[in-house]
Amino acid sequence: MSNSTLNISTENYKRAAVITVSGRVDSSNAAEFDAALKNALAEGHHNLVIELSGVNYMSSAGLRAIVAAHRESHKKGGDVCLASPSERVAEVLSLAGLQSVFTVYPDTLAAVGSF
Amino acid sequence: MGSKHTLTIPGRYEKIQQVCHFVAQGAVQAGLGESAVFHIELACDEACTNVIEHAYGGEDVGEIEVSWQVTGKQFVLTIHDHGRPFDPSEVLPPPDYSDPETGPLNNSRTGGLGVHFMRKLMDEVTFHFDGEGNTVTLVKKITGEVKRKA
């Protein structure tokens, strides 16, 4: 049974914005997650790193936000990659068939360095 | 056959977590392991989200009645609503994200994941409309690899 709170923070680097997410992402708060990703893109960061090590639960609503950000990022010539997804997030990505769509890095440093 | 446990919530996204915890606690009581408990919680979440999105067409339209029961070697979860008929055959499967032609860069459709998740996570999934509402029944087999109660 997972933590109920969702925490999102954004750090801007020269080549990418890092969105660090923790807690539970579900249909009650996926709009907040979606907005954070869209805000980063709207501010001109076409490359996004989503740090997911602290996410203990993600439903399909959270995945839809990531997929939408991936599409918008590519339209602007950027990309979205994932850093250290928790076991639960990795399982949900696999269930959706998304594991081959996103490059996954073991930590944020490696992910930012890939851009 | 074990007793039936029921919780009714308003059809609101913020209430789904409450019912997920109710169901997860039941799965723990039934002796299911951590992975199976997560699968049941996620399937319940997706089913309740579907009720709000499809059967009710929005939040605060109607209630969702969630029940669990252990019958033999099965954990049986039912989700009942009073909304319009939900026909799972009308829900397109999610796109094949690994295929460039249908993947997320060429396809804005992101629906269909909820029903897909339910079917992948549970051993049996059935949908029934009785004229007054929908009932989704989700079954998880209780296998030998369970967490025994202390």
Side-chain angles (χ1 to χ4, degrees):
Chain A
M1 288 162 272
S2 58
N3 192 328
S4 61
T5 55
L6 169 67
N7 294 298
I8 305 173
S9 63
T10 303
E11 285 181 275
N12 297 322
Y13 292 84
K14 191 173 179 181
R15 289 182 289 183
V18 177
I19 294 93
T20 302
V21 192
S22 64
R24 180 186 176 101
V25 187
D26 59 21
S27 51
S28 73
N29 56 28
E32 189 184 338
F33 180 39
D34 185 60
L37 297 173
K38 283 191 167 67
N39 283 344
L41 290 166
E43 287 173 2
H45 300 285
H46 301 161
N47 295 321
L48 303 183
V49 173
I50 308 176
E51 208 283 336
L52 295 161
S53 63
V55 176
N56 51 26
Y57 181 97
M58 182 176 284
S59 73
S60 65
L63 290 185
R64 280 194 280 271
I66 296 177
V67 167
H70 175 73
R71 189 168 47 251
E72 289 308 307
S73 167
H74 273 254
K75 279 183 190 169
K76 297 168 187 284
D79 198 7
V80 171
C81 63
L82 310 179
S84 51
S86 63
E87 188 184 335
R88 290 287 180 239
V89 173
E91 183 177 0
V92 169
L93 284 166
S94 177
L95 272 175
L98 283 164
Q99 72 276 26
S100 60
V101 173
F102 296 99
T103 307
V104 177
Y105 293 92
D107 55 53
T108 304
L109 193 64
V112 173
S114 72
F115 290 114
Chain B
M1 185 183 292
S3 56
K4 191 174 181 179
H5 305 260
T6 301
L7 179 66
T8 300
I9 57 165
R12 202 177 309 146
Y13 293 124
E14 67 181 28
K15 293 292 183 186
I16 292 177
Q17 188 181 351
Q18 182 186 348
V19 85
C20 284
H21 282 195
F22 165 72
V23 166
Q25 283 172 346
V28 170
Q29 281 179 39
L32 285 156
E34 192 181 330
S35 179
V37 172
F38 169 64
H39 292 173
I40 289 167
E41 183 178 359
L42 184 54
C44 178
D45 185 333
E46 300 292 349
C48 291
T49 299
N50 260 7
V51 167
I52 296 171
E53 287 181 359
H54 300 292
Y56 288 140
E59 292 187 280
D60 291 321
V61 175
E63 292 183 326
I64 306 172
E65 184 183 295
V66 178
S67 300
W68 67 265
Q69 187 172 27
V70 175
T71 59
K73 291 284 184 185
Q74 294 183 327
F75 185 86
V76 181
L77 173 63
T78 57
I79 291 110
H80 183 71
D81 65 63
H82 301 281
R84 57 183 176 240
F86 174 72
D87 182 354
S89 66
E90 291 178 0
V91 179
L92 290 171
D96 179 357
Y97 289 119
S98 63
D99 183 342
E101 293 293 316
T102 59
L105 298 182
N106 293 313
N107 189 345
S108 61
R109 191 169 66 80
T110 54
L113 276 176
V115 172
H116 174 72
F117 274 20
M118 283 185 253
R119 289 186 166 136
K120 293 282 267 188
L121 293 164
M122 303 298 283
D123 293 305
E124 290 174 35
V125 180
T126 56
F127 297 86
H128 176 68
F129 182 75
D130 66 2
E132 294 182 353
N134 301 282
T135 301
V136 184
T137 304
L138 305 164
V139 176
K140 191 78 165 174
K141 289 177 184 165
I142 302 174
T143 65
E145 297 175 79
V146 298
K147 181 182 171 185
R148 297 291 176 200
K149 286 186 279 187

